[in-house]
mmCIF file of all heavy atoms in Angstrom:
data_model
loop_
_atom_site.group_PDB
_atom_site.id
_atom_site.type_symbol
_atom_site.label_atom_id
_atom_site.label_comp_id
_atom_site.label_asym_id
_atom_site.label_seq_id
_atom_site.Cartn_x
_atom_site.Cartn_y
_atom_site.Cartn_z
ATOM 1 N N ASP U 972 -16.640 -1.199 14.011
ATOM 2 C CA ASP U 972 -16.474 -0.291 15.145
ATOM 3 C C ASP U 972 -17.437 0.896 15.076
ATOM 4 O O ASP U 972 -17.334 1.829 15.862
ATOM 5 C CB ASP U 972 -15.032 0.211 15.212
ATOM 6 C CG ASP U 972 -14.598 0.952 13.953
ATOM 7 O OD1 ASP U 972 -15.398 1.063 12.998
ATOM 8 O OD2 ASP U 972 -13.450 1.421 13.910
ATOM 9 N N ALA U 973 -18.373 0.854 14.127
ATOM 10 C CA ALA U 973 -19.373 1.906 13.917
ATOM 11 C C ALA U 973 -18.750 3.249 13.529
ATOM 12 O O ALA U 973 -19.374 4.296 13.720
ATOM 13 C CB ALA U 973 -20.272 2.059 15.145
ATOM 14 N N ALA U 974 -17.550 3.227 12.980
ATOM 15 C CA ALA U 974 -16.915 4.471 12.532
ATOM 16 C C ALA U 974 -17.773 5.120 11.451
ATOM 17 O O ALA U 974 -18.333 4.431 10.602
ATOM 18 C CB ALA U 974 -15.518 4.178 11.988
ATOM 19 N N PRO U 975 -17.846 6.445 11.464
ATOM 20 C CA PRO U 975 -18.685 7.143 10.480
ATOM 21 C C PRO U 975 -18.058 7.250 9.091
ATOM 22 O O PRO U 975 -18.767 7.490 8.117
ATOM 23 C CB PRO U 975 -18.884 8.527 11.096
ATOM 24 C CG PRO U 975 -17.664 8.724 11.953
ATOM 25 C CD PRO U 975 -17.303 7.350 12.471
ATOM 26 N N THR U 976 -16.731 7.090 8.994
ATOM 27 C CA THR U 976 -16.040 7.224 7.708
ATOM 28 C C THR U 976 -14.955 6.162 7.584
ATOM 29 O O THR U 976 -14.482 5.636 8.601
ATOM 30 C CB THR U 976 -15.370 8.612 7.569
ATOM 31 O OG1 THR U 976 -14.308 8.703 8.539
ATOM 32 C CG2 THR U 976 -16.367 9.752 7.737
ATOM 33 N N PRO U 977 -14.519 5.874 6.362
ATOM 34 C CA PRO U 977 -13.399 4.942 6.194
ATOM 35 C C PRO U 977 -12.131 5.424 6.908
ATOM 36 O O PRO U 977 -11.412 4.622 7.509
ATOM 37 C CB PRO U 977 -13.197 4.883 4.677
ATOM 38 C CG PRO U 977 -14.518 5.253 4.102
ATOM 39 C CD PRO U 977 -15.097 6.266 5.058
ATOM 40 N N ALA U 978 -11.855 6.720 6.852
ATOM 41 C CA ALA U 978 -10.666 7.257 7.519
ATOM 42 C C ALA U 978 -10.744 7.054 9.033
ATOM 43 O O ALA U 978 -9.751 6.657 9.666
ATOM 44 C CB ALA U 978 -10.487 8.733 7.186
ATOM 45 N N ALA U 979 -11.891 7.315 9.615
ATOM 46 C CA ALA U 979 -12.058 7.114 11.059
ATOM 47 C C ALA U 979 -11.866 5.644 11.414
ATOM 48 O O ALA U 979 -11.251 5.316 12.438
ATOM 49 C CB ALA U 979 -13.428 7.606 11.511
ATOM 50 N N HIS U 980 -12.371 4.763 10.582
ATOM 51 C CA HIS U 980 -12.205 3.328 10.839
ATOM 52 C C HIS U 980 -10.732 2.935 10.795
ATOM 53 O O HIS U 980 -10.244 2.213 11.676
ATOM 54 C CB HIS U 980 -13.012 2.511 9.833
ATOM 55 C CG HIS U 980 -12.821 1.046 9.972
ATOM 56 N ND1 HIS U 980 -13.147 0.350 11.125
ATOM 57 C CD2 HIS U 980 -12.306 0.125 9.114
ATOM 58 C CE1 HIS U 980 -12.859 -0.932 10.967
ATOM 59 N NE2 HIS U 980 -12.338 -1.085 9.756
ATOM 60 N N LEU U 981 -10.002 3.400 9.784
ATOM 61 C CA LEU U 981 -8.573 3.082 9.704
ATOM 62 C C LEU U 981 -7.844 3.578 10.954
ATOM 63 O O LEU U 981 -7.012 2.862 11.522
ATOM 64 C CB LEU U 981 -7.951 3.696 8.449
ATOM 65 C CG LEU U 981 -8.329 3.032 7.132
ATOM 66 C CD1 LEU U 981 -7.794 3.844 5.955
ATOM 67 C CD2 LEU U 981 -7.814 1.600 7.069
ATOM 68 N N ARG U 982 -8.173 4.781 11.385
ATOM 69 C CA ARG U 982 -7.533 5.311 12.591
ATOM 70 C C ARG U 982 -7.904 4.487 13.823
ATOM 71 O O ARG U 982 -7.056 4.218 14.674
ATOM 72 C CB ARG U 982 -7.909 6.773 12.789
ATOM 73 C CG ARG U 982 -7.223 7.682 11.793
ATOM 74 C CD ARG U 982 -7.473 9.167 12.103
ATOM 75 N NE ARG U 982 -6.745 9.988 11.164
ATOM 76 C CZ ARG U 982 -7.282 10.547 10.076
ATOM 77 N NH1 ARG U 982 -8.583 10.410 9.825
ATOM 78 N NH2 ARG U 982 -6.538 11.263 9.278
ATOM 79 N N ASN U 983 -9.164 4.089 13.943
ATOM 80 C CA ASN U 983 -9.572 3.274 15.095
ATOM 81 C C ASN U 983 -8.780 1.977 15.157
ATOM 82 O O ASN U 983 -8.374 1.534 16.236
ATOM 83 C CB ASN U 983 -11.067 2.962 15.034
ATOM 84 C CG ASN U 983 -11.931 4.156 15.332
ATOM 85 O OD1 ASN U 983 -11.482 5.174 15.850
ATOM 86 N ND2 ASN U 983 -13.207 4.051 14.980
ATOM 87 N N VAL U 984 -8.569 1.352 14.011
ATOM 88 C CA VAL U 984 -7.848 0.076 13.971
ATOM 89 C C VAL U 984 -6.368 0.280 14.264
ATOM 90 O O VAL U 984 -5.780 -0.438 15.081
ATOM 91 C CB VAL U 984 -8.045 -0.618 12.608
ATOM 92 C CG1 VAL U 984 -7.118 -1.814 12.454
ATOM 93 C CG2 VAL U 984 -9.498 -1.045 12.429
#
Side-chain angles (χ1 to χ4, degrees):
D972 59 358
T976 66
H980 176 61
L981 288 173
R982 287 187 177 99
N983 288 345
V984 170

